[in-house]
Amino acid sequence: MPFTHTLTARFYEIDRAGIVFFGRFYEWAHECFEELLRALFGHPEAMFGELGFGMPLVHSEADYKMPVRFGDRLSVSATVSRISERSATFTYVFSGTDDGIHRATVTLVHAFVDLASFRGIPVPQRFRDAIAQAGLEPSAA
Amino acid sequence: MPFTHTLTARFYEIDRAGIVFFGRFYEWAHECFEELLRALFGHPEAMFGELGFGMPLVHSEADYKMPVRFGDRLSVSATVSRISERSATFTYVFSGTDDGIHRATVTLVHAFVDLASFRGIPVPQRFRDAIAQAGLEPSAA
Amino acid sequence: MPFTHTLTARFYEIDRAGIVFFGRFYEWAHECFEELLRALFGHPEAMFGELGFGMPLVHSEADYKMPVRFGDRLSVSATVSRISERSATFTYVFSGTDDGIHRATVTLVHAFVDLASFRGIPVPQRFRDAIAQAGLEPSAA
Amino acid sequence: MPFTHTLTARFYEIDRAGIVFFGRFYEWAHECFEELLRALFGHPEAMFGELGFGMPLVHSEADYKMPVRFGDRLSVSATVSRISERSATFTYVFSGTDDGIHRATVTLVHAFVDLASFRGIPVPQRFRDAIAQAGLEPSAA
């Protein structure tokens, strides 16, 4: 069961070609990620406090299917598609809220770091537990 | 009675000093403006279609009272503070949704242009009527 | 003698109306400010190290004279227009590099804070000296 | 021989974790693309005029090797890594201008559209010729 979030394409997110700039989907995916963190851990700032780990990106990618235009309402569905020893992969599917048409898919691969040292660490148990508790675990093949 | 909108300070809106970059308040004020246009005229794209007029900025300003931090929820109250022959001034007051504390005030002065020619025009009657109907008219002294 | 900087209007800085979004001028003014800090103090990160003071905005404003379009090259002239006990005001004038036509003027009013406490402090002598040495002092009336 | 461009990480491009937000690399890659278009065709706005074709993104991806911090100067090397019947792939390698250390690589896959209809078209001969003339053709295996 994915985590869902909704957003609206803003006037200043349109580019010279009259459609939403392709880079904005990464900001939107991260916005959905922030709401997911809030649902898991309370205020997203908690990560920089008691949790003590950060999740820097090591890879990001996006496929664009249909342009998004000014004022369009979008629904984002987030799933955790893979958790390895040292990274977690989230997939964000963007669809029109009104028409249901698939617009783009964004994939973000996060490493985990100790925020004090900025050194890489294994996926924290606390993260694994929260994902499991929210029913967001990657499905086994 | 002001028009209200809520938003959340995002991870990528924070600057090197660890607070929301001062320029983001202008994007947020415009976001509130877009929702106001939607309430007045339907889809904000309507402006570029049947309405036929644009509202470019001739002046903008902001006063900053308290920093906004990552994850803060904000409430924006929009009022139309002045309508002259050829311009309309909107005021946006930002407060914390949880604490009610005033963070910043943004003022935007729009001119009106014919979208075909990009030439200045007087404030369209259709705009005046919509503002009046929404109870957003500037109060007389 | 103003400090000067040049920049180019980018594809993703255009808004739905086909011109540069009005909020981008604040980012551009700050970009010029960062280059000015580099000229005064070396790497702008120095402010967060040995200098130990920050310069948060208390007020910003802009007047827009002519739209800027995709690919336009702009020249920015920065002057320090006022230094009071506890704040400094910078003025940024944007003109077309090719046509010399005035596009916009941005004014930024900075307070000064101790970066450890984020509390307000008087304008540091080191800042006054650097501005004087660079010949950027506000002219007496 | 790659096309090169330089840029500086700005105050407002830093995120809550104190490093450049991962999405900014896409804006920077496109900024380099715009300068490349200018080198090939003159003003990048030409694309929307006489050239008559657009190059919307169908896929984008990035690998992040090392964080970029406020004020860092970066060099971007752009190459055309593949041209197929209907798309062109550009690769952008980001390194520190001072230290030469590899920070990130961005890959952008563009389709081609007729700007009047926004319908897909084969890679225009004029684009192929310009790439060849600039010595930017993908090398045969």
Side-chain angles (χ1 to χ4, degrees), chain C residues 11 32 49-50 58-59 82-83 86 91 102 122 127:
Chain C
F11 190 76
C32 181
E50 46 152 340
V58 290
H59 179 78
R82 182 162 185 264
I83 300 182
R86 299 180 81 86
T91 302
H102 180 204
F127 177 82

XYZ file of all heavy atoms in Angstrom, chain C residues 11 32 49-50 58-59 82-83 86 91 102 122 127:
112
model
N 16.478 28.805 -18.719
C 15.267 28.130 -19.208
C 14.238 27.907 -18.101
O 13.037 28.061 -18.305
C 15.709 26.786 -19.777
C 14.686 26.019 -20.537
C 14.336 26.395 -21.831
C 14.091 24.885 -20.001
C 13.416 25.651 -22.562
C 13.168 24.147 -20.720
C 12.829 24.536 -21.998
N 24.933 38.094 -6.600
C 25.869 39.218 -6.721
C 26.474 39.537 -5.351
O 27.683 39.781 -5.229
C 25.144 40.429 -7.305
S 26.191 41.880 -7.547
N 32.850 30.861 9.173
C 34.017 30.401 9.912
C 34.601 31.530 10.740
O 34.024 31.947 11.741
N 35.705 32.082 10.294
C 36.443 33.064 11.086
C 35.658 34.357 11.343
O 35.776 34.949 12.412
C 37.780 33.391 10.420
C 37.675 33.649 8.929
C 38.761 34.604 8.412
O 39.364 35.353 9.206
O 38.963 34.603 7.188
N 16.166 41.591 6.759
C 15.010 42.087 7.496
C 13.980 42.712 6.555
O 12.806 42.826 6.898
C 15.403 43.080 8.616
C 16.133 42.331 9.741
C 16.274 44.212 8.087
N 14.445 43.106 5.380
C 13.534 43.694 4.393
C 14.127 43.472 3.008
O 15.344 43.498 2.829
C 13.366 45.200 4.656
C 12.458 45.883 3.683
N 11.087 45.800 3.752
C 12.730 46.641 2.588
C 10.549 46.494 2.757
N 11.530 47.008 2.039
N 23.305 52.357 2.309
C 23.164 52.891 3.664
C 23.748 51.916 4.672
O 23.553 50.703 4.547
C 21.676 53.131 3.977
C 21.433 53.733 5.350
C 20.039 54.352 5.472
N 19.916 54.999 6.768
C 19.358 54.409 7.847
N 18.851 53.197 7.769
N 19.318 55.054 9.011
N 24.476 52.443 5.661
C 24.905 51.638 6.805
C 24.458 52.377 8.057
O 24.838 53.525 8.278
C 26.432 51.420 6.832
C 26.890 50.688 5.564
C 26.824 50.605 8.061
C 28.388 50.381 5.534
N 22.794 49.138 13.051
C 22.578 47.692 13.135
C 22.180 47.050 11.804
O 21.786 45.875 11.778
C 21.498 47.387 14.188
C 21.872 47.858 15.579
C 20.799 47.556 16.601
N 20.841 46.180 17.075
C 21.610 45.761 18.071
N 22.425 46.585 18.699
N 21.593 44.502 18.438
N 21.901 48.021 -2.812
C 21.028 48.248 -3.961
C 21.642 47.584 -5.189
O 22.837 47.758 -5.450
C 20.838 49.745 -4.210
O 20.284 50.331 -3.025
C 19.907 50.010 -5.375
N 17.519 49.338 -18.476
C 17.249 49.050 -17.074
C 16.064 48.098 -16.968
O 14.998 48.383 -17.477
C 16.966 50.373 -16.350
C 16.679 50.225 -14.886
N 15.953 51.146 -14.178
C 17.028 49.270 -14.001
C 15.865 50.765 -12.911
N 16.507 49.627 -12.771
N 25.539 44.919 16.606
C 25.802 46.099 15.783
C 26.619 45.705 14.549
O 27.247 44.641 14.523
C 26.633 47.003 16.703
C 26.430 46.470 18.087
C 26.165 45.001 17.939
N 33.277 44.506 8.990
C 32.449 44.724 7.806
C 32.609 46.159 7.308
O 32.817 46.397 6.111
C 30.979 44.420 8.131
C 30.042 44.692 6.986
C 29.863 43.770 5.968
C 29.343 45.899 6.919
C 29.009 44.027 4.906
C 28.494 46.163 5.856
C 28.328 45.226 4.851
